[in-house]
Amino acid sequence: MKLVASGQSLGARVEDLDLSKPLSDEAFKQLEQALGKFGVLSYPGQNLTSLQLKNFSERFGRLEVNVANLYQEPGLPEVMILSNMVENGKPLGLSDAGQDWHTDMSYSSMIAFTNVLYGIEIPHRDGEPLGNTEFCNMHAAYDGLPGELKTRLAGMTITHDFAKFWDKMRREKGSSRPALTDAQRKAKPPVTHPVFMTHPITGEKVLYANPGYSMRINELPQEESDRILAFLFEHQLQSKYQYRHRWSVGDVLMWDNMGTLHNAVADYRPDEHRYIKRCQVMANRYFEQAAP
Ligand code: OGA
Ligand code: MN
């Protein structure tokens, strides 16, 4: 395989690797290191069955099965469909996944490691791809923080809540997602994670906060927490930290959820079709204690 760095804040392309074939241990280790270093990896020109997508993704950790039990590949609940396509009045997939800045599963006590997306239909207009996926580099965002804020926030924690993103999509983005029921809210109670994490692959510090799910810096009074979170959100989204993936059909795209934020750009119409298969990989390999 060949790794080609984008030369930007994030991103590398992996060439000459057929993901339908089993991955050697050596290739896996190389990809894991590259994912930590570059944050976002794309593998162009893939041709995968859902099972092959699942097998590749599973090398990186335990796969999440979405609680909603919706839009899953028949027989493969770990593979979910993201799509705006409708057939016989029925949506084929989740139509507005990730359409604001967030970090996958920061609301979960076992956070996410990587998300693996396989692009099967990509909307284009005037020859340009639509529905790009944007990222921000949280290694660089940590490094760029004022020194006194790094010191002040060291050891502090943030509460993350699944409902924040969901409610905002309904309230501000006209999403057709149904309101969360009390039972669903109870099933996903808020969780707490450190403001700064040591990244398990790079060994460097990252800023682990995101506008999608971060609610509160627990060790600070409400007012100060609000002010500092607003500062962190603005800081981490600066254009100098950003990178954008422009999709081609056949791309597999994976990103490191500990070292990046992302946003799905909703710039395509209902008749401009996007169809993507997704596996979500938990960070259990890094955070679960090995059996004694
Ligand atoms: C996701 C997500 C981005 C996209 O699946 O978690 O944010 O571009 N998707 O579809
Ligand atoms: Mn996401």
Side-chain angles (χ1 to χ4, degrees), residues 187-217:
K188 288 192 179 288
V191 300
T192 284
H193 298 296
V195 182
F196 304 136
M197 269 195 328
T198 300
H199 193 285
I201 299 171
T202 62
E204 307 282 345
K205 289 229 169 69
V206 294
L207 169 59
Y208 195 72
N210 69 89
Y213 300 114
S214 297
M215 301 290 290
R216 172 76 197 257
I217 301 174

Short mmCIF file of all heavy atoms in Angstrom, two decimals, residues 187-217:
data_model
loop_
_atom_site.label_atom_id
_atom_site.label_comp_id
_atom_site.label_asym_id
_atom_site.label_seq_id
_atom_site.Cartn_x
_atom_site.Cartn_y
_atom_site.Cartn_z
N ALA A 187 -32.38 6.04 28.35
CA ALA A 187 -31.45 5.00 27.88
C ALA A 187 -30.09 5.60 27.52
O ALA A 187 -29.11 4.87 27.41
CB ALA A 187 -32.05 4.29 26.67
N LYS A 188 -30.03 6.91 27.29
CA LYS A 188 -28.75 7.57 26.94
C LYS A 188 -28.50 8.72 27.88
O LYS A 188 -28.52 9.89 27.48
CB LYS A 188 -28.82 8.07 25.49
CG LYS A 188 -28.75 6.96 24.46
CD LYS A 188 -28.52 7.53 23.09
CE LYS A 188 -28.43 6.47 22.05
NZ LYS A 188 -27.18 5.71 22.12
N PRO A 189 -28.25 8.43 29.15
CA PRO A 189 -27.99 9.51 30.11
C PRO A 189 -26.67 10.21 29.78
O PRO A 189 -25.80 9.61 29.17
CB PRO A 189 -27.90 8.77 31.45
CG PRO A 189 -27.48 7.38 31.10
CD PRO A 189 -28.06 7.09 29.75
N PRO A 190 -26.55 11.49 30.17
CA PRO A 190 -25.30 12.21 29.94
C PRO A 190 -24.11 11.50 30.57
O PRO A 190 -24.28 10.81 31.58
CB PRO A 190 -25.55 13.56 30.63
CG PRO A 190 -27.03 13.69 30.72
CD PRO A 190 -27.57 12.31 30.84
N VAL A 191 -22.95 11.66 29.97
CA VAL A 191 -21.72 11.05 30.49
C VAL A 191 -20.64 12.11 30.61
O VAL A 191 -20.77 13.20 30.05
CB VAL A 191 -21.21 9.90 29.58
CG1 VAL A 191 -22.25 8.81 29.45
CG2 VAL A 191 -20.81 10.45 28.22
N THR A 192 -19.57 11.76 31.29
CA THR A 192 -18.48 12.70 31.57
C THR A 192 -17.17 12.17 30.99
O THR A 192 -16.89 10.98 31.12
CB THR A 192 -18.37 12.84 33.10
OG1 THR A 192 -19.44 13.68 33.54
CG2 THR A 192 -17.08 13.45 33.52
N HIS A 193 -16.42 13.06 30.31
CA HIS A 193 -15.08 12.71 29.82
C HIS A 193 -14.13 13.87 30.11
O HIS A 193 -14.57 15.02 30.19
CB HIS A 193 -15.10 12.45 28.30
CG HIS A 193 -15.97 11.31 27.89
ND1 HIS A 193 -15.73 10.01 28.25
CD2 HIS A 193 -17.10 11.27 27.12
CE1 HIS A 193 -16.66 9.22 27.74
NE2 HIS A 193 -17.51 9.96 27.05
N PRO A 194 -12.83 13.59 30.20
CA PRO A 194 -11.85 14.66 30.40
C PRO A 194 -11.88 15.69 29.26
O PRO A 194 -12.13 15.32 28.11
CB PRO A 194 -10.51 13.93 30.40
CG PRO A 194 -10.82 12.49 30.61
CD PRO A 194 -12.22 12.26 30.13
N VAL A 195 -11.62 16.95 29.59
CA VAL A 195 -11.54 18.00 28.56
C VAL A 195 -10.37 17.72 27.62
O VAL A 195 -10.48 17.91 26.41
CB VAL A 195 -11.34 19.40 29.21
CG1 VAL A 195 -11.31 20.48 28.14
CG2 VAL A 195 -12.41 19.68 30.24
N PHE A 196 -9.26 17.26 28.19
CA PHE A 196 -8.09 16.92 27.38
C PHE A 196 -7.81 15.44 27.56
O PHE A 196 -7.81 14.92 28.67
CB PHE A 196 -6.86 17.71 27.85
CG PHE A 196 -7.05 19.21 27.85
CD1 PHE A 196 -6.62 19.98 28.91
CD2 PHE A 196 -7.66 19.84 26.76
CE1 PHE A 196 -6.79 21.36 28.91
CE2 PHE A 196 -7.84 21.22 26.75
CZ PHE A 196 -7.41 21.99 27.83
N MET A 197 -7.58 14.77 26.44
CA MET A 197 -7.25 13.34 26.49
C MET A 197 -5.86 13.15 25.91
O MET A 197 -5.48 13.87 24.99
CB MET A 197 -8.23 12.54 25.62
CG MET A 197 -9.44 12.05 26.37
SD MET A 197 -10.33 10.77 25.47
CE MET A 197 -10.13 11.15 23.77
N THR A 198 -5.17 12.15 26.42
CA THR A 198 -3.93 11.73 25.76
C THR A 198 -4.33 10.72 24.70
O THR A 198 -4.94 9.70 25.00
CB THR A 198 -2.95 11.10 26.77
OG1 THR A 198 -2.65 12.10 27.74
CG2 THR A 198 -1.67 10.66 26.07
N HIS A 199 -4.01 11.05 23.46
CA HIS A 199 -4.46 10.19 22.36
C HIS A 199 -3.73 8.84 22.42
O HIS A 199 -2.50 8.81 22.48
CB HIS A 199 -4.21 10.88 21.03
CG HIS A 199 -4.90 10.22 19.90
ND1 HIS A 199 -4.48 9.03 19.37
CD2 HIS A 199 -6.02 10.56 19.23
CE1 HIS A 199 -5.31 8.68 18.39
NE2 HIS A 199 -6.26 9.59 18.30
N PRO A 200 -4.48 7.73 22.42
CA PRO A 200 -3.82 6.44 22.63
C PRO A 200 -2.88 6.02 21.50
O PRO A 200 -2.03 5.16 21.72
CB PRO A 200 -4.99 5.45 22.75
CG PRO A 200 -6.16 6.14 22.14
CD PRO A 200 -5.93 7.61 22.31
N ILE A 201 -2.99 6.60 20.33
CA ILE A 201 -2.07 6.22 19.24
C ILE A 201 -0.89 7.18 19.17
O ILE A 201 0.26 6.75 19.09
CB ILE A 201 -2.80 6.16 17.88
CG1 ILE A 201 -3.92 5.12 17.93
CG2 ILE A 201 -1.83 5.84 16.75
CD1 ILE A 201 -4.83 5.13 16.73
N THR A 202 -1.16 8.47 19.22
CA THR A 202 -0.06 9.43 19.05
C THR A 202 0.66 9.72 20.36
O THR A 202 1.77 10.23 20.36
CB THR A 202 -0.60 10.77 18.51
OG1 THR A 202 -1.51 11.33 19.48
CG2 THR A 202 -1.32 10.59 17.18
N GLY A 203 -0.01 9.46 21.50
CA GLY A 203 0.57 9.81 22.80
C GLY A 203 0.55 11.31 23.07
O GLY A 203 1.10 11.77 24.07
N GLU A 204 -0.08 12.08 22.18
CA GLU A 204 -0.14 13.54 22.34
C GLU A 204 -1.51 13.94 22.88
O GLU A 204 -2.48 13.21 22.75
CB GLU A 204 0.05 14.23 20.98
CG GLU A 204 1.28 13.81 20.21
CD GLU A 204 2.55 14.47 20.73
OE1 GLU A 204 2.42 15.45 21.49
OE2 GLU A 204 3.64 13.98 20.40
N LYS A 205 -1.60 15.16 23.43
CA LYS A 205 -2.87 15.63 23.98
C LYS A 205 -3.81 16.12 22.87
O LYS A 205 -3.37 16.71 21.88
CB LYS A 205 -2.62 16.78 24.96
CG LYS A 205 -1.97 16.31 26.25
CD LYS A 205 -2.73 16.88 27.46
CE LYS A 205 -2.29 16.24 28.75
NZ LYS A 205 -0.92 16.63 29.12
N VAL A 206 -5.10 15.86 23.06
CA VAL A 206 -6.12 16.39 22.16
C VAL A 206 -7.19 17.09 23.00
O VAL A 206 -7.40 16.78 24.17
CB VAL A 206 -6.81 15.28 21.31
CG1 VAL A 206 -5.82 14.66 20.34
CG2 VAL A 206 -7.44 14.20 22.19
N LEU A 207 -7.86 18.05 22.35
CA LEU A 207 -9.03 18.71 22.95
C LEU A 207 -10.25 17.83 22.66
O LEU A 207 -10.60 17.62 21.50
CB LEU A 207 -9.20 20.10 22.32
CG LEU A 207 -10.51 20.83 22.63
CD1 LEU A 207 -10.69 21.04 24.13
CD2 LEU A 207 -10.54 22.18 21.89
N TYR A 208 -10.86 17.29 23.73
CA TYR A 208 -12.02 16.41 23.53
C TYR A 208 -13.29 17.14 23.98
O TYR A 208 -13.85 16.91 25.05
CB TYR A 208 -11.85 15.09 24.27
CG TYR A 208 -12.83 14.03 23.81
CD1 TYR A 208 -12.68 13.42 22.56
CD2 TYR A 208 -13.91 13.65 24.59
CE1 TYR A 208 -13.57 12.47 22.11
CE2 TYR A 208 -14.82 12.70 24.15
CZ TYR A 208 -14.64 12.11 22.91
OH TYR A 208 -15.53 11.16 22.46
N ALA A 209 -13.71 18.08 23.11
CA ALA A 209 -14.95 18.84 23.32
C ALA A 209 -15.55 19.01 21.95
O ALA A 209 -14.82 19.01 20.94
CB ALA A 209 -14.64 20.20 23.92
N ASN A 210 -16.87 19.11 21.84
CA ASN A 210 -17.48 19.35 20.54
C ASN A 210 -18.84 20.01 20.70
O ASN A 210 -19.56 19.72 21.65
CB ASN A 210 -17.58 18.05 19.74
CG ASN A 210 -18.59 17.07 20.32
OD1 ASN A 210 -19.78 17.10 19.98
ND2 ASN A 210 -18.16 16.21 21.24
N PRO A 211 -19.18 20.93 19.76
CA PRO A 211 -20.44 21.66 19.89
C PRO A 211 -21.67 20.75 19.84
O PRO A 211 -22.72 21.11 20.37
CB PRO A 211 -20.46 22.59 18.67
CG PRO A 211 -19.13 22.49 18.02
CD PRO A 211 -18.39 21.32 18.58
N GLY A 212 -21.54 19.57 19.23
CA GLY A 212 -22.69 18.68 19.08
C GLY A 212 -23.21 18.13 20.40
O GLY A 212 -24.43 18.04 20.60
N TYR A 213 -22.30 17.74 21.27
CA TYR A 213 -22.73 17.01 22.47
C TYR A 213 -22.25 17.61 23.79
O TYR A 213 -22.76 17.22 24.84
CB TYR A 213 -22.25 15.56 22.38
CG TYR A 213 -22.79 14.81 21.18
CD1 TYR A 213 -21.96 14.37 20.16
CD2 TYR A 213 -24.16 14.55 21.07
CE1 TYR A 213 -22.46 13.68 19.06
CE2 TYR A 213 -24.67 13.87 19.97
CZ TYR A 213 -23.81 13.44 18.98
OH TYR A 213 -24.31 12.77 17.89
N SER A 214 -21.24 18.49 23.75
CA SER A 214 -20.67 18.98 25.02
C SER A 214 -21.60 20.00 25.67
O SER A 214 -21.99 20.98 25.05
CB SER A 214 -19.30 19.62 24.78
OG SER A 214 -18.39 18.67 24.28
N MET A 215 -21.93 19.78 26.95
CA MET A 215 -22.93 20.58 27.66
C MET A 215 -22.31 21.50 28.69
O MET A 215 -22.76 22.60 28.88
CB MET A 215 -23.89 19.66 28.43
CG MET A 215 -24.64 18.66 27.59
SD MET A 215 -25.86 19.46 26.54
CE MET A 215 -27.06 19.97 27.75
N ARG A 216 -21.29 21.03 29.40
CA ARG A 216 -20.94 21.71 30.65
C ARG A 216 -19.56 21.26 31.11
O ARG A 216 -19.26 20.07 31.08
CB ARG A 216 -22.00 21.30 31.70
CG ARG A 216 -21.76 21.71 33.12
CD ARG A 216 -22.07 23.19 33.29
NE ARG A 216 -21.48 23.68 34.52
CZ ARG A 216 -22.16 23.91 35.63
NH1 ARG A 216 -23.45 23.67 35.66
NH2 ARG A 216 -21.54 24.39 36.70
N ILE A 217 -18.75 22.22 31.51
CA ILE A 217 -17.49 21.88 32.20
C ILE A 217 -17.84 21.73 33.67
O ILE A 217 -18.25 22.68 34.32
CB ILE A 217 -16.41 22.95 31.97
CG1 ILE A 217 -16.13 23.10 30.46
CG2 ILE A 217 -15.12 22.57 32.72
CD1 ILE A 217 -15.17 24.22 30.11
#
